[in-house]
Amino acid sequence: MAFAAITSIGRINFLRLPLSATATTTPSPSPSSQFLRPSRLFSRKLSAAVVMDGSKISNVADEFPSGIDPTTEEEYAVQSKLLQEFTKIPNIDKAWTFKSDSGDPMATFSISQASLLANKRRKYTLSAHISKGNDGNSVNFAWTPFPIEMIGVSTIVPSPSGSKFLTVRNPENDSPVQLEIWSAGQIEKEFHIPQSIHGSIYTDGWFEGISWNSNETYIAYVAEEPSPSKPTFNFSGYQKGCSTNKDCTNWKGQGDFKEDWGEAYAGKRQPALFVINIDSGEVRRVKIVEHSLSVGQVIWAPSIGEDQYLVFVGWSSEPRKLGMIYCYNRPCALYAVKAPDYGSEINEHKLKDVPKEDFPIYNLTQSISSAFFPRFSPDGKFLVFLSAHSSVNSGAHSATNSLHRINWPRDGKPDFSENIVDVVPVVHYTENDLFPGLYPHGFLPNPWLSDGHTVITTSIWRSKDAILSIDILSGEVSCISPANSNFSWRVLALDGDNIVAVSSSPVDIPQLKYGCLIEKETKNAAWSWLDVSSPVFKCCEKVKTLLSSLQFSIMKIPVKDVSNCLTKGASEPFEAIFVSSKSVKGNELNPLIVNLHGGPHSTSISSFSKSLAFLSSIGFNLLIVNYRGSLGFGEEALQSLPGKIGSQDVNDVLTALDHIIDKGLASSSKVAVLGGSHGGFLTTHLIGQAPDRFVAAAARNPVCNLALMVGTSDIPDWCYVECYGREGKNYYTEAPSADHLTHLYNKSPILHVSKVKTPTIFLLGAKDLRVPFSNGLQYARALKEKGVEVKIIMFPDDIHPIDRPQSDFESFLNIGVWFRKYCK
């Protein structure tokens, strides 16, 4: 039974607290920290506050953070308590459904929750038996009494039958990777794979590919190839041979520089393909790929005759590796290769290379520049996949996707010459809220309904997430989440022809939903959505009360000057999400925060955000702008922005702001602006181009000087495409000319820095490879130089998102205090 399998995991402890209970102590500062830590702010309130430092106890009751006055300290104390309550709310990351011993379905949820004390996200699972009412109008989830914490677990992957699952434990050092095979009630196999065979297994959601074969005897996966040997030196100089022993008489050199895949992939240089025989423990690297090709997203293919094949995605690293995360403009293709034949040999953990000449590689998608997330239909006749060819061809880091299929050979010799069939093409223009195109977050491992040709997925639909059904034979796309809802909906798992989903809004914490397919035999199938009572999403009464006092709407904002629009899609209204209080005290309007997403080709969707809900709860209205260039509005609107950043997007934000001021929903004298990455680019542009419009600003890892960024970022090509448009792909070079640098500088916020007078707080990640902290720091120093009030918080161990729990907490706590200070 699935529950027995999950609750019996070794090294997994029961979580002793209820789901809604976490330690309420604020995080302790590290001894070496020179940055503001929330726990320091309460020291004046405590009569006997102490800090533990090893065995020493030091009295810190009189310690006072520099630059903090008593009023500000009180603001920190009050706001931090509320922010902690929002931080406790968990996220559901994944879900699976199984058949229990009784035949009833079960659902298991992988949940994460921020731990401020540990400064990491704690992961655990929670399971429930699903029973449906006879009338089809009710569903009951019988939850297990306690969650199970997944200590040290990187990911779990159920087998096709649901009778087993794989647990992956990646080490934090040079220890072996641990693989565990679990069945109902016990661990069946445990393998420790040394670093000499491969490094950590990819569980990142992009390169990640972990796939059982249909017989549940082999598992294919993607892992980092072993690190190359480094030169050894000793007292006499260079030591010949590659010694693995290190003592006081020798040391390891660095060896040749090897590029990695940039932001979020520091040290990840070569994802490679491996297969393990779970009976013998033998691991084989499928070494049939040119070394310039990085692999990912591997799945087992249906057998062709007696042969089994693996299908995977390959990315070329020539002429160099550019940043991968968030960048769908990297060319990629689907490849097929015959799986290794282990025979009867048993040689545990001995790595065997499969010769290239014995197993040729087939490029399945030569006619298209992008192919990823492959999935086989249940009958094995079709291979479907997504493509970002519009992104690759234009250079935009993300754009409208398309869906395609290939016929898969079943008998005799492989024939991979089948034409690619377009199932859902790129949508260039849409109106009247019709289907705007495909912007999916990916595919479930098994996304199919029982008819074998309908895929269920989540996709951005203007300013919200929607659940779609796609018929891969006819290409028909239907929105099956409630059409009259402005909430965002996301599919978690399928239970036969039913859907386990989650729904939320900017003012409503996530709620589990169960979708039942009714009238499925008719052409216009209908769905009924039922509420699921769940212990997962709990919050305190104070948070409930504050959220219940808020409301939101999605506004259409007319384009101000359509005469400059080159396409029909660019002239269509864009959208903004407006979050406000339900009641207004007298004629006093709440101060407004204009919130701007990054990308620029991404979207702020109408889902629950703990950080933005916190800002709403401390007295701010929010204007969350999806300016033209955002995902979810068709390709023409998206492609209208490259080449016009710093002007079209800035004007769209000011147009949206004027729109709600004209409607009497905001006061022009109490407006702040907040954004990160490209949202930080817009934030710093706005306070320079419209210096009298904003009383405070907050910028998280902002792009402030493109002429500086182009030589330091992992995505220099982004700078060219966004500044020059599609032609930027051809202009891009590692050695920008003086004219190029001038053009990049003239597109940058730093061009307008002399006009800025808005007090601005900067949140910077010292390990950011996407927008290195030097960009924001240079701009902040320039503001200081001219006397503008500036606050800088540097997070020494954070990358671009600044999303480690303590960093995220401190970041939005300081943003809240900063805005309250200047928006009174």
Side-chain angles (χ1 to χ4, degrees):
M1 189 174 71
F3 177 68
I6 289 176
T7 56
S8 61
I9 297 178
R11 303 184 196 83
I12 295 179
N13 299 334
F14 277 97
L15 191 63
R16 298 298 182 185
L17 296 175
L19 276 174
S20 60
T22 56
T24 56
T25 311
T26 49
S28 302
S30 62
S32 61
S33 174
Q34 299 179 11
F35 308 112
L36 183 63
R37 297 291 182 189
S39 58
R40 304 278 292 275
L41 301 171
F42 305 111
S43 57
R44 295 283 294 271
K45 300 291 181 183
L46 304 177
S47 59
V50 294
V51 170
M52 302 298 294
D53 183 14
S55 60
K56 300 177 182 179
I57 302 178
S58 57
N59 193 331
V60 296
D62 296 324
E63 189 175 346
F64 201 76
S66 61
I68 303 296
D69 56 67
T71 302
T72 304
E73 184 195 32
E74 179 64 25
E75 188 78 17
Y76 272 106
V78 173
Q79 287 196 30
S80 66
K81 291 178 182 177
L82 178 61
L83 182 54
Q84 276 191 317
E85 295 299 329
F86 280 99
T87 302
K88 292 176 187 177
I89 300 172
N91 293 336
I92 293 182
D93 302 320
K94 299 178 182 178
W96 305 271
T97 57
F98 309 88
K99 292 294 183 184
S100 66
D101 290 344
S102 64
D104 292 331
M106 283 191 63
T108 295
F109 298 85
S110 176
I111 303 165
S112 62
Q113 186 176 21
S115 169
L116 291 174
L117 288 175
N119 198 21
K120 64 181 182 181
R121 295 197 66 84
R122 302 181 76 162
K123 297 191 295 185
Y124 52 93
T125 63
L126 190 65
S127 298
H129 282 272
I130 304 173
S131 57
K132 288 167 278 190
N134 294 329
D135 58 0
N137 294 322
S138 63
V139 65
N140 179 59
F141 278 49
W143 296 92
T144 52
F146 296 102
I148 311 299
E149 185 169 12
M150 309 294 285
I151 298 175
V153 174
S154 301
T155 192
I156 57 176
V157 183
S159 67
S161 69
S163 63
K164 303 175 184 177
F165 69 85
L166 168 73
T167 297
V168 176
R169 299 179 187 272
N170 282 322
E172 295 182 357
N173 46 37
D174 293 332
S175 300
V177 174
Q178 298 179 40
L179 300 181
E180 300 161 359
I181 308 297
W182 291 86
S183 62
Q186 65 178 4
I187 185 171
E188 288 192 351
K189 299 280 185 177
E190 183 173 4
F191 308 110
H192 289 203
I193 304 173
Q195 296 284 318
S196 58
I197 292 181
H198 62 65
S200 293
I201 292 175
Y202 280 79
T203 58
D204 60 310
W206 185 241
F207 287 114
E208 176 181 351
I210 304 174
S211 180
W212 294 73
N213 72 337
S214 59
N215 296 331
E216 303 185 357
T217 52
Y218 302 130
I219 298 174
Y221 57 89
V222 178
E224 182 71 7
E225 73 171 13
S227 299
S229 299
K230 295 182 178 181
T232 303
F233 303 92
N234 57 24
F235 60 90
S236 61
Y238 176 70
Q239 181 175 323
K240 292 183 179 180
C242 295
S243 172
T244 57
N245 298 321
K246 185 178 184 301
D247 55 41
C248 59
T249 65
N250 63 31
W251 73 93
K252 288 286 185 182
Q254 295 303 311
D256 292 349
F257 169 71
K258 300 290 185 182
E259 285 186 312
D260 57 31
W261 283 107
E263 172 69 19
Y265 291 109
K268 299 291 187 181
R269 299 177 175 88
Q270 194 66 40
L273 181 55
F274 296 86
V275 178
I276 185 170
N277 182 326
I278 62 175
D279 290 327
S280 67
E282 183 184 342
V283 177
R284 290 197 178 192
R285 178 178 176 181
V286 186
K287 200 171 184 179
I288 41 67
V289 181
E290 293 300 325
H291 201 264
S292 64
L293 206 63
S294 290
V295 306
Q297 302 178 19
V298 62
I299 59 172
W300 288 88
S303 299
I304 301 176
E306 296 182 356
D307 295 329
Q308 282 196 308
Y309 280 78
L310 296 168
V311 171
F312 59 89
V313 182
W315 294 265
S316 175
S317 58
E318 297 296 338
R320 61 159 287 193
K321 291 185 175 81
L322 292 167
M324 179 64 76
I325 193 168
Y326 317 125
C327 294
Y328 298 90
N329 57 327
R330 308 294 174 227
C332 56
L334 293 186
Y335 296 89
V337 65
K338 187 178 175 182
D341 181 9
Y342 284 76
S344 58
E345 180 181 357
I346 297 178
N347 195 347
E348 186 171 3
H349 306 324
K350 183 178 180 182
L351 180 66
K352 288 182 175 288
D353 286 340
V354 180
K356 296 179 183 180
E357 58 272 16
D358 292 345
F359 295 93
I361 180 173
Y362 301 93
N363 186 333
L364 305 178
T365 56
Q366 295 185 53
S367 63
I368 195 168
S369 58
S370 169
F372 53 92
F373 287 142
R375 294 293 185 270
F376 282 97
S377 60
D379 59 10
K381 291 182 179 180
F382 303 113
L383 172 63
V384 298
F385 61 91
L386 289 170
S387 175
H389 63 86
S390 57
S391 182
V392 174
N393 298 342
S394 68
H397 71 91
S398 188
T400 313
N401 289 337
S402 53
L403 182 68
H404 308 268
R405 78 169 191 265
I406 301 173
N407 293 333
W408 186 255
R410 296 303 302 269
D411 300 318
K413 293 184 178 180
D415 178 9
F416 298 118
S417 60
E418 291 284 346
N419 292 330
I420 295 173
V421 177
D422 298 340
V423 177
V424 181
V426 170
V427 174
H428 292 275
Y429 166 73
T430 184
E431 58 185 351
N432 299 326
D433 293 332
L434 297 176
F435 174 58
L438 270 181
Y439 306 90
H441 303 290
F443 280 145
L444 297 174
N446 180 17
W448 303 93
L449 295 184
S450 62
D451 62 14
H453 57 83
T454 301
V455 169
I456 303 297
T457 190
T458 304
S459 181
I460 300 170
W461 189 301
R462 302 181 76 84
S463 293
K464 62 185 181 181
D465 267 346
I467 300 176
L468 307 182
S469 71
I470 305 172
D471 188 320
I472 66 161
L473 299 180
S474 68
E476 182 180 352
V477 179
S478 301
C479 178
I480 61 174
S481 48
N484 58 352
S485 170
N486 280 333
F487 283 45
S488 279
W489 292 67
R490 178 169 61 95
V491 60
L492 295 172
L494 300 186
D495 174 24
D497 282 336
N498 303 313
I499 298 175
V500 180
V502 65
S503 172
S504 69
S505 85
V507 300
D508 297 273
I509 63 172
Q511 168 72 47
L512 280 177
K513 302 285 186 176
Y514 192 79
C516 299
L517 176 59
I518 55 179
E519 302 177 14
K520 64 180 180 179
E521 302 301 327
T522 65
K523 184 177 180 180
N524 298 316
W527 290 80
S528 171
W529 292 97
L530 307 174
D531 292 337
V532 175
S533 177
S534 161
V536 178
F537 300 113
K538 298 291 185 182
C539 59
C540 69
E541 288 301 319
K542 183 174 184 180
V543 168
K544 288 181 181 178
T545 301
L546 288 168
L547 291 177
S548 67
S549 69
L550 303 174
Q551 60 188 354
F552 84 101
S553 62
I554 298 178
M555 297 180 168
K556 293 191 181 299
I557 313 294
V559 174
K560 194 167 187 178
D561 186 1
V562 296
S563 63
N564 292 326
C565 299
L566 300 179
T567 61
K568 192 172 182 181
S571 65
E572 286 294 303
F574 58 98
E575 290 183 350
I577 303 168
F578 183 58
V579 182
S580 61
S581 174
K582 290 179 180 177
S583 60
V584 179
K585 298 178 181 178
N587 294 322
E588 187 74 14
L589 292 170
N590 284 347
L592 179 74
I593 299 174
V594 178
N595 185 73
L596 305 169
H597 66 70
H601 310 301
S602 63
T603 312
S604 291
I605 58 172
S606 62
S607 61
F608 185 74
S609 162
K610 286 173 269 191
S611 52
L612 295 184
F614 160 72
L615 293 175
S616 299
S617 297
I618 60 173
F620 292 97
N621 291 348
L622 304 179
L623 181 66
I624 306 167
V625 184
N626 285 318
Y627 45 86
R628 284 173 295 164
S630 302
L631 300 177
F633 294 83
E635 188 68 4
E636 287 184 357
L638 186 145
Q639 294 293 349
S640 70
L641 182 57
K644 299 179 181 178
I645 59 167
S647 54
Q648 177 178 295
D649 44 5
V650 168
N651 290 332
D652 281 356
V653 175
L654 292 174
T655 298
L657 178 57
D658 289 339
H659 182 81
I660 67 162
I661 290 174
D662 291 345
K663 286 182 171 291
L665 299 174
S667 168
S668 60
S669 63
K670 295 187 295 183
V671 181
V673 60
L674 160 65
S677 193
H678 188 84
F681 171 89
L682 289 174
T683 295
T684 47
H685 252 306
L686 285 160
I687 61 177
Q689 293 190 42
D692 298 318
R693 301 293 303 267
F694 304 96
V695 297
R700 293 163 51 89
N701 283 331
V703 177
C704 299
N705 184 350
L706 287 154
L708 173 62
M709 178 179 166
V710 74
T712 56
S713 172
D714 66 332
I715 53 166
D717 58 322
W718 178 93
C719 301
Y720 274 88
V721 170
E722 296 302 334
C723 289
Y724 283 99
R726 186 182 290 260
E727 296 78 12
K729 281 186 64 182
N730 302 322
Y731 297 159
Y732 164 57
T733 172
E734 296 287 346
S737 66
D739 287 343
H740 287 172
L741 292 174
T742 299
H743 183 73
L744 296 177
Y745 184 89
N746 289 337
K747 288 282 188 178
S748 302
I750 202 165
L751 178 71
H752 307 281
V753 72
S754 63
K755 297 178 283 185
V756 176
K757 48 192 175 183
T758 305
T760 306
I761 181 172
F762 292 85
L763 301 309
L764 306 176
K767 293 185 177 179
D768 186 352
L769 301 178
R770 183 59 40 95
V771 185
F773 73 88
S774 55
N775 232 265
L777 192 60
Q778 179 195 43
Y779 188 90
R781 285 170 169 166
L783 292 187
K784 273 188 172 182
E785 184 178 64
K786 64 183 297 294
V788 177
E789 188 165 356
V790 166
K791 183 181 182 70
I792 304 168
I793 303 180
M794 183 78 71
F795 299 96
D797 296 316
D798 275 84
I799 59 175
H800 193 55
I802 314 182
D803 59 359
R804 298 165 78 238
Q806 289 179 6
S807 305
D808 182 70
F809 180 90
E810 185 175 352
S811 175
F812 280 94
L813 175 62
N814 276 277
I815 289 170
V817 171
W818 188 261
F819 284 173
R820 295 261 296 187
K821 178 180 179 181
Y822 292 102
C823 291
K824 290 181 179 178

